C-alpha cells in the first residue's frame, strides 16, 4: 500500500520561506515522478511542481517559477519543495503526489496522493 506523508507546512509572513517534505512508502520510489499540487479555498486544484524519477528534470507551474525549488532524495524516499519569497496567494493546502509519468501531473491525475499540509502566508 502506497503512503505519501507531507510535513513542513505552517504559518509564515509574506517574503518568508518554508520547506515541505513528503515521505513515500510502498512504491519503487525512483520509478515515480513525484510532485506537488495545491488547493486554496474556493479555487481549483493547481499543479505546483514535479520532478522526474532520477531527479534530472523538474517542472514548475507558472505561478511558482523562480521562487520554488523541487528536489528528491531517492535514498530517503523523499521529495522536497523549497518555497521562497512566499506570497499570500500561495496560501493553500499542499498535496504530495506520485505518478509513473509527468503527463499524469499535467492532467491532474497522478496515481497517489498524500493527505495534504496547510501553508498559510500572512500579509
Amino acid at each position: 500500500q502506497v503512503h505519501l506523508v507531507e510535513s513542513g507546512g505552517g504559518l509564515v509572513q509574506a517574503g518568508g520561506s518554508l520547506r515541505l517534505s513528503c515521505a513515500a512508502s510502498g512504491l519503487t520510489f525512483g520509478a515515480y515522478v513525484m510532485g506537488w499540487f495545491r488547493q486554496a479555498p474556493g479555487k481549483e486544484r493547481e499543479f505546483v511542481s514535479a520532478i522526474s524519477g532520477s531527479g534530472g528534470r523538474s517542472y514548475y507551474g507558472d505561478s511558482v517559477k523562480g521562487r520554488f525549488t523541487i528536489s528528491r532524495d531517492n535514498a530517503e524516499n523523499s521529495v522536497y519543495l523549497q518555497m521562497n519569497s512566499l506570497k499570500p496567494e500561495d496560501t493553500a493546502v499542499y498535496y504530495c503526489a506520485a505518478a509513473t509519468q509527468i503527463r499524469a501531473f499535467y492532467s491532474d491525475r497522478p496515481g497517489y496522493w498524500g493527505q495534504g499540509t496547510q501553508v498559510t502566508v500572512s500579509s
Side-chain angles (χ1 to χ4, degrees):
Q1 190 172 5
V2 175
H3 290 285
L4 304 177
V5 180
E6 302 96 335
S7 60
L11 174 64
V12 64
Q13 289 188 334
S17 298
L18 278 177
R19 187 187 192 221
L20 304 184
S21 300
C22 172
S25 61
L27 75 171
T28 305
F29 188 72
Y32 280 79
V33 178
M34 299 297 298
W36 298 87
F37 289 83
R38 68 185 182 186
Q39 188 164 23
K43 295 188 177 181
E44 292 186 355
R45 187 163 57 208
E46 176 187 15
F47 168 73
V48 175
S49 183
I51 187 167
S52 65
S54 67
R57 295 196 67 177
S58 55
Y59 311 82
Y60 296 94
D62 289 342
S63 61
V64 306
K65 282 180 182 176
R67 300 188 299 121
F68 291 10
T69 303
I70 193 169
S71 62
R72 65 188 294 159
D73 184 339
N74 285 357
E76 296 292 330
N77 284 9
S78 294
V79 60
Y80 309 98
L81 187 68
Q82 178 66 42
M83 306 186 294
N84 297 331
S85 302
L86 283 162
K87 306 174 182 180
E89 51 263 44
D90 294 318
T91 296
V93 177
Y94 284 70
Y95 297 92
C96 179
T100 55
Q101 295 183 348
I102 183 61
R103 61 185 176 187
F105 281 85
Y106 289 132
S107 63
D108 198 40
R109 293 182 178 180
Y112 302 103
W113 295 92
Q115 82 287 353
T117 186
Q118 176 70 46
V119 171
T120 302
V121 184
S122 63
S123 58

